[in-house]
Amino acid sequence: MTRLFGTDGVRGLANADLTAELALDLSVCAAHVLADRGEFEGHRPLAVVGRDTRISGQFLEAAVVAGLASAGVDVLLLGVLPTPGVAYMTDRLGAGLGVMLSASHNPMPDNGIKFLARGGHKLDDAIEIAIERRMGEPWQRPTGGSVGRVRTYETAVEEYAAHLESTISHPLVGLKVVLDCAEGAAHAAGPRALEDAGATVVAIHADPDGLNINDNCGSTHLGDLQKAVVEHGAHAGFALDGDADRCLAVDAEGNVVDGDQILAILSLSLLEQGRLAKDTVVATVMSNLGFVQAMRAGGVGVRQTKVGDRYVLEAMKISGYNLGGEQSGHVILSDHATTGDGILTTLHVMERMATTGRSLADLASVMSRLPQVLLNVSGVDKSRADEDAVLAAAVAEEEAVLGERGRILLRPSGTEPIVRVMVEAPTEDEAQGVASRLADVVRTQLTLP
């Protein structure tokens, strides 16, 4: 059976791969699996449903609600709300299930369904597999008063924004910020939370029409944000993605501050306050070596995981860490959230600016980014990447030359016949040279039959 669930729920081209029928069936099966696990015992089953601004979210929302209500689950419609907002409201309202309709930073025609367990946590893989296995099975339908009730929950944005503002203890008065809302789920909650915290907010790409989400804006397209920060004389700018579970930043001069730098700022802030659990931050193997070096110099341990925020969160849960993230801007502050949250991250970076009186550029300068070159070698047998002796010897030889000045990472793609060659070195030329030589070895040694 082909897996429906990927690393971040079920995604696909809306109304082609991800249809109303599929959304309805998935929702019915999710209700059944959670009921079997006892999530709804002792009370009427309750789920909350939120979405981003894609037009396809409207019919998918209707399908999800129909599936849940027909399975006897009461539904609260949260409307347009960021993914971390839906997670928060799942916990706040004591729901046994949360559903978010979004494809995050993907183009508008795509959409996705993400299920959240009680407390706002991502479903375990075992539960997702159980949901898939029950697709298409016959079931006893409730009737009469046993079907689910559906109503709109009017104050989700206000409650979520108030929660975000409550997580900081120092007002942001005197700071001017540009917030790129990506024409997405945070277009209302983002500006509101920052304004409630005392900041002067210039919101851009905050007028969604259902078609323009992520369209040359947000965390994957920083050009408009860079211009706006300089034009408005702002202290900083932050760009969210379509469902606002991540952000990237821009300093007052328009220079990009990436996820590694944001994570470095927050790590040292929490360490200074004595609030960084086990004095350790969780990052992925793709984090820049400059980040790792800066953290070690600052007295912060670094635990590295496979690429993907789910692996970061897993390591945090298992070992009791409270801060983790990715270069892409997924930052998890688990003292306040169960998932990455771009607005929350923005607030805490700005609070650091406010409490220290330092500019974002100054705070970000704690780490120096090493030049990083990433080459994708396609059309090769990626399954042999970890066992080819000639390739291993070539990597070892290059690593010996780089020493502690750089780093090499060979990573097979999870979905394509591609091997990714990532090299960091003191100079761009050196990194490019090492990456090119290793890419040639990959092509030669891992040729497909």
Side-chain angles (χ1 to χ4, degrees):
M1 176 180 176
T2 302
R3 285 295 310 269
L4 290 173
F5 285 89
T7 57
D8 205 23
V10 179
R11 285 192 188 176
L13 181 60
N15 217 28
D17 306 315
L18 183 56
T19 63
E21 294 87 349
L22 178 59
L24 190 151
D25 289 347
L26 280 168
S27 301
V28 168
C29 294
H32 290 164
V33 169
L34 292 178
D36 289 348
R37 290 173 58 87
E39 290 295 330
F40 304 132
E41 282 184 5
H43 54 81
R44 284 188 63 86
L46 176 66
V48 298
V49 179
R51 61 182 176 87
D52 68 21
T53 55
R54 297 162 212 265
I55 53 172
S56 60
Q58 297 173 5
F59 81 77
L60 289 172
E61 177 187 69
V64 166
V65 171
L68 292 173
S70 71
V73 178
D74 292 343
V75 180
L76 294 177
L77 293 172
L78 304 179
V80 173
L81 196 68
T83 292
V86 174
Y88 170 72
M89 296 304 296
T90 301
D91 183 38
R92 176 176 172 81
L93 296 173
L97 176 66
V99 187
M100 179 65 187
L101 300 167
S102 176
S104 190
H105 60 281
N106 284 24
M108 181 277 295
D110 290 344
N111 215 323
I113 301 176
K114 178 187 287 188
F115 293 112
L116 300 166
R118 184 176 297 277
H121 300 280
K122 186 183 183 302
L123 291 186
D124 293 339
D125 288 348
I127 299 179
E128 292 181 343
I129 292 171
I131 291 171
E132 290 182 359
R133 287 177 175 168
R134 296 189 70 159
M135 294 288 286
E137 71 174 8
W139 55 288
Q140 186 68 40
R141 299 171 182 270
T143 58
S146 296
V147 300
R149 283 86 158 163
V150 182
R151 63 186 176 92
T152 300
Y153 193 83
E154 301 284 356
T155 57
V157 168
E158 292 83 354
E159 292 179 29
Y160 172 53
H163 159 67
L164 292 171
E165 190 271 335
S166 73
T167 67
I168 63 171
S169 56
H170 193 288
L172 307 183
V173 176
L175 288 179
K176 186 175 187 178
V177 61
V178 178
L179 184 68
D180 184 342
C181 299
E183 310 290 7
H187 72 96
R192 180 174 184 133
L194 293 176
E195 288 169 355
D196 288 350
T200 299
V201 182
V202 177
I204 64 173
H205 296 298
D207 188 24
D209 61 10
L211 303 173
N212 56 6
I213 186 171
N214 297 323
D215 187 11
N216 290 312
C217 58
S219 60
T220 54
H221 300 87
L222 297 176
D224 286 357
L225 178 64
Q226 291 171 297
K227 293 176 185 175
V229 167
V230 174
E231 289 173 0
H232 289 277
H235 294 91
F238 293 83
L240 307 170
D241 63 343
D243 70 337
D245 66 349
R246 64 166 144 174
C247 74
L248 294 178
V250 167
D251 68 23
E253 301 299 319
N255 300 306
V256 174
V257 177
D258 72 8
D260 283 342
Q261 293 166 299
I262 290 171
L263 202 56
I265 292 169
L266 295 177
S267 296
L268 295 177
S269 175
L270 288 176
L271 181 71
E272 184 180 296
Q273 299 170 58
R275 293 173 46 218
L276 183 63
K278 301 182 180 181
D279 294 345
T280 297
V281 62
V282 181
T284 76
V285 293
M286 287 301 290
S287 284
N288 193 274
L289 181 58
F291 167 78
V292 178
Q293 293 172 338
M295 292 300 91
R296 288 173 179 163
V300 176
V302 179
R303 164 76 182 277
Q304 289 184 284
T305 72
K306 293 191 291 186
V307 175
D309 62 318
R310 66 180 300 170
Y311 300 113
V312 172
L313 185 56
E314 183 180 271
M316 292 173 66
K317 286 180 178 178
I318 291 173
S319 301
Y321 303 126
N322 63 348
L323 178 64
E326 294 187 283
Q327 199 176 68
S328 60
H330 279 112
V331 174
I332 303 168
L333 289 149
S334 63
D335 290 338
H336 310 294
T338 59
T339 184
D341 190 326
I343 309 171
L344 181 70
T345 301
T346 297
L347 282 165
H348 283 257
V349 171
M350 291 188 67
E351 182 184 35
R352 183 64 169 169
M353 294 170 63
T355 56
T356 62
R358 297 168 63 186
S359 68
L360 181 57
D362 186 31
L363 290 171
S365 69
V366 67
M367 65 164 280
S368 298
R369 289 185 52 81
L370 270 68
Q372 187 179 83
V373 172
L374 177 64
L375 299 181
N376 292 324
V377 186
S378 60
V380 294
D381 183 0
K382 64 181 182 180
S383 66
R384 294 191 286 117
D386 295 329
E387 58 188 41
D388 186 86
V390 173
L391 178 57
V395 170
E397 183 178 344
E398 297 286 1
E399 285 178 333
V401 174
L402 281 175
E404 295 186 356
R405 301 178 307 113
R407 185 167 67 107
I408 297 169
L409 178 66
L410 261 65
R411 186 167 66 91
S413 168
T415 58
E416 303 171 89
I418 286 175
V419 172
R420 308 189 195 284
V421 180
M422 190 276 285
V423 177
E424 291 168 342
T427 68
E428 184 81 21
D429 287 346
E430 187 173 6
Q432 185 66 56
V434 173
S436 296
R437 288 192 294 273
L438 289 178
D440 288 341
V441 178
V442 170
R443 290 188 192 95
T444 302
Q445 294 300 121
L446 305 185
T447 303
L448 287 169

